[in-house]
């Protein structure tokens, strides 16, 4: 962790202090997980789809160079202007140069986690460009000056009453109004004017087809379509891992994406963009931003299969109880915890430890990423590279010494039992992280070894 920066545990503690919020955050996400389970069981070939998607992505990662060049060539033939960006700085500079060339000072943007990674909004605002997020959840987060806390559900951590207060403060709704339908209708009226007046629109990319040079954007609100179809300049920002080889493969991924994300059969809008309409400019920016480096990490390359469905977040007990903002990274949850250390191992050294390693994330991943295995492997890398917290390193060394010596194990076990039974306040205090959320158990009267020695003969005779 960087000096002075709060780690996941500290940020999660602030979230956990609001017990009511934690309970409904946990319940809402688990409800979505249950919807995913119901939807997946309605398709007999669900596991075949997961396996097929995983193999397609394996093929893409093994031949990424060729597929990117094929996509660029076909997109260019279609009339799309293709740009390449190595990092966030290059990506943001390209977007700004496109807008500057057209003297555009206002832009509407649909959901794009990549632009959140690049901090595009802040970059453009500093240069006099007004940017409005048109996805309702991201729009709420933008008004409240917070990043998204979830890939699919950006403001899942907010109560409807809090959203009502945000709308009252920034949009002038009547104070005390918190009905979701009323607030949504008000936001729609406000955003409709934004769509009509913005000359430029930016979208993310869910899938890009190398075979045809087109890309697909999946939304439930239609905001990406509104912006793209009404704009003079259309820009798409895309991570290089979003490639799929053929258009026929879309059928596999589209069936998996919505069911995994929200339990829907398919997203309401799955929009294909292939070429600009007459009089319109269409730009697409292919962005690396650490993805090539991750591709070169044998143990972690499969993380690039991710289709950003959020299923691992919805099922993760740690994410559900700690909230997305506690991960101090654009992508939260289990998938974020294996992507973030690749970008900055020191800054994000705590995230792979924010997991029980229960494996639920891997079980629900639609492209079969071994997320919990990678979390465990990142822990080993972080410790080996010297980025683990000193307390954790010293604790592990002490435990290794204790467990490697029967004498020390027995002696310290006796001491521990005596402390728990005679001076429990030595353990049950605020300096023990486990005690903050749990009641420590009473100390046993004897060790298992002693119990076994006393009872083994009796059990044997009984058998």
């Amino acid at each position: 962790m960087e000096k002075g920066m709060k780690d996941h545990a500290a940020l999660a503690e602030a979230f956990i202090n609001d017990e009511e919020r934690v309970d409904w955050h946990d319940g809402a996400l688990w409800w979505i997980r249950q919807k995913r389970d119901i939807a997946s069981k309605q398709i007999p070939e669900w596991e075949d789809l997961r396996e097929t998607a995983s193999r397609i992505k394996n093929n893409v990662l093994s031949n990424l160079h060729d597929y990117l060049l094929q996509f660029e060539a076909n997109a260019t033939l279609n009339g799309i202007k293709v740009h390449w960006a190595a990092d966030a700085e290059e990506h943001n500079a390209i977007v700004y140069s496109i807008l500057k060339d057209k003297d555009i000072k206002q832009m509407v943007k649909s959901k794009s986690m990549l632009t959140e990674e690049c901090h595009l909004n802040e970059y453009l605002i500093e240069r006099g460009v007004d940017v409005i997020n048109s996805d309702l959840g991201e729009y709420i987060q933008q008004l409240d000056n917070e990043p998204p806390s979830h890939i699919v559900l950006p403001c899942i951590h907010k109560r409807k009453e809090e959203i009502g207060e945000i709308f009252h403060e920034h949009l002038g709704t009547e104070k005390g109004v918190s009905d979701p339908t009323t607030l949504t209708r008000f936001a729609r009226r406000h955003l409709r004017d934004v769509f009509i007046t913005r000359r430029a629109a930016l979208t993310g990319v869910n899938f890009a087809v190398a075979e045809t040079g087109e890309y697909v954007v999946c939304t439930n609100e239609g905001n990406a379509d509104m912006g793209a179809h009404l704009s003079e300049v259309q820009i798409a920002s895309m991570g290089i891992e979003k490639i799929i080889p053929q258009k026929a493969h879309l059928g596999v991924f589209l069936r998996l994406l919505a069911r995994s994300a929200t339990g829907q059969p398919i997203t309401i809008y799955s929009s294909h963009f292939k070429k600009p309409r007459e009089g319109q400019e269409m730009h697409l920016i292919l962005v690396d931003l650490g993805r090539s480096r991750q591709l070169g990490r044998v143990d972690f390359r499969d993380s690039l299969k991710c289709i950003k469905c959020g299923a691992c977040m919805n099922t993760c007990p740690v994410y559900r109880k700690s909230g997305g903002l506690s991960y101090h990274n654009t992508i939260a949850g289990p998938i974020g915890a294996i992507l973030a250390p690749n970008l900055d191992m020191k800054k994000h050294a705590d995230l792979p430890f924010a997991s029980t390693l229960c494996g639920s994330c891997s079980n629900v991943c639609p492209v079969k990423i071994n997320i919990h295995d990678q979390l465990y492997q990142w822990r080993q890398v972080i410790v080996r590279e010297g980025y683990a917290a000193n307390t954790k390193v010293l604790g592990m060394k002490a435990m290794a010494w204790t467990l490697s010596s029967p004498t020390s194990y027995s002696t310290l076990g006796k001491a521990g039992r005596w402390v728990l039974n005679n001076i429990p306040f030595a353990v049950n205090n605020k300096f023990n992280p486990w005690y903050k959320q749990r009641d420590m158990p009473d100390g046993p009267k004897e060790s298992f070894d002693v119990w076994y020695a006393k009872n083994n003969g009796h059990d044997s005779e009984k058998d």
Side-chain angles (χ1 to χ4, degrees), residues 9-25:
L11 294 168
E13 185 173 6
F15 185 83
I16 291 168
N17 284 336
D18 188 341
E19 189 171 340
E20 183 184 354
R21 184 190 302 275
V22 172
D23 287 345
W24 61 253
H25 184 265

Side-chain angles (χ1 to χ4, degrees), residues 18-37:
D18 188 341
E19 189 171 340
E20 183 184 354
R21 184 190 302 275
V22 172
D23 287 345
W24 61 253
H25 184 265
D26 177 32
L29 289 168
W30 186 248
W31 174 68
I32 296 169
R33 158 67 204 268
Q34 290 177 312
K35 287 178 64 183
R36 173 261 176 208
D37 292 347

Side-chain angles (χ1 to χ4, degrees), residues 194-212:
V194 171
F195 288 126
I196 292 171
T197 58
R198 262 46 176 183
R199 295 169 52 207
L202 186 146
T203 71
V205 173
N206 289 94
F207 307 103
V209 184
E211 176 186 48
T212 62

Side-chain angles (χ1 to χ4, degrees), residues 294-311:
Q294 189 82 327
L295 184 64
R297 299 183 191 269
V298 177
D299 291 334
F300 306 110
R301 73 195 299 266
D302 276 7
S303 62
L304 295 175
K305 293 180 180 179
C306 179
I307 59 173
K308 303 298 189 295
C309 68

Side-chain angles (χ1 to χ4, degrees), residues 62-353:
S62 298
N63 301 278
L64 188 57
H65 171 81
D66 296 330
Y67 285 131
L68 285 170
L69 292 179
Q70 182 186 8
F71 174 78
E72 180 190 30
N74 287 327
T76 301
L77 286 174
N78 294 337
I80 300 174
K81 298 181 180 180
V82 180
H83 310 261
W84 295 79
D87 52 29
E89 185 177 350
E90 286 189 11
H91 168 269
N92 294 345
I94 290 169
V95 173
Y96 180 63
S97 68
I98 293 169
L99 300 176
K100 189 176 180 182
D101 286 346
K102 294 290 184 178
D103 194 29
I104 293 174
K105 299 291 186 182
Q106 295 178 317
M107 183 176 77
V108 63
K109 183 165 76 71
S110 67
K111 186 182 291 180
S112 165
M113 296 308 294
L114 175 59
T115 60
E116 294 290 338
E117 288 184 63
C118 295
H119 303 290
L120 176 65
N121 285 16
E122 296 86 344
Y123 179 93
L124 293 178
I125 290 169
E126 287 175 0
R127 286 156 181 79
V129 179
D130 181 44
V131 184
I132 297 293
N133 290 334
S134 60
D135 173 89
L136 181 57
E138 290 209 334
Y139 182 52
I140 292 166
Q141 288 300 94
Q142 184 181 21
L143 290 175
D144 202 29
N145 198 30
E146 274 190 344
S149 68
H150 190 288
I151 294 174
V152 178
L153 311 160
C155 64
I156 185 66
H157 61 291
K158 280 185 164 62
R159 299 182 177 92
K160 62 181 182 179
E161 291 80 10
E162 293 173 313
I163 295 171
E165 285 301 310
I166 292 168
F167 275 37
H168 171 68
E169 179 182 352
H170 295 279
L171 302 180
T173 58
E174 186 179 343
K175 187 173 180 60
V177 173
S178 61
D179 175 63
T181 301
T182 302
L183 295 176
T184 300
R185 286 173 177 167
F186 192 90
R188 183 184 296 158
R189 287 197 299 270
H190 179 77
L191 288 171
R192 188 143 297 187
D193 179 66
V194 171
F195 288 126
I196 292 171
T197 58
R198 262 46 176 183
R199 295 169 52 207
L202 186 146
T203 71
V205 173
N206 289 94
F207 307 103
V209 184
E211 176 186 48
T212 62
E214 67 189 281
Y215 61 92
V216 178
V217 181
C218 302
T219 70
N220 278 329
E221 300 173 23
N223 53 305
D225 302 77
M226 289 279 286
H229 294 318
L230 293 172
S231 64
E232 298 174 23
V233 178
Q234 181 180 345
I235 305 170
S237 295
M238 168 188 153
I240 58 174
E241 81 283 7
K242 295 292 187 177
I243 289 282
I244 60 173
Q246 300 172 12
K247 193 168 184 176
H249 296 149
L250 279 171
V252 175
F253 290 98
L254 291 177
R255 295 179 77 191
L256 288 167
L257 177 60
R259 287 178 171 88
S260 297
T262 59
Q264 299 170 245
I266 194 168
T267 48
I268 304 301
Y269 300 91
S270 299
S271 305
H272 297 239
F273 296 96
K274 189 172 183 179
K275 61 182 180 180
R277 71 175 188 276
E278 186 175 349
Q280 184 190 47
E281 278 189 19
M282 186 181 289
H283 299 262
L284 185 138
I285 309 170
L286 291 162
V287 186
D288 189 316
L289 193 57
R291 287 155 172 80
S292 293
R293 183 168 61 247
Q294 189 82 327
L295 184 64
R297 299 183 191 269
V298 177
D299 291 334
F300 306 110
R301 73 195 299 266
D302 276 7
S303 62
L304 295 175
K305 293 180 180 179
C306 179
I307 59 173
K308 303 298 189 295
C309 68
C312 62
M313 300 179 182
N314 301 338
T315 198
C316 176
V318 176
Y319 176 89
R320 297 199 320 265
K321 292 289 189 179
S322 63
L325 298 182
S326 66
Y327 287 79
H328 58 83
N329 182 54
T330 302
I331 309 295
I335 187 64
I338 62 174
L339 291 172
N342 173 62
L343 299 174
D344 190 329
M345 200 180 301
K346 181 179 180 181
K347 180 180 178 182
H348 301 299
D350 60 313
L351 295 185
F353 295 92

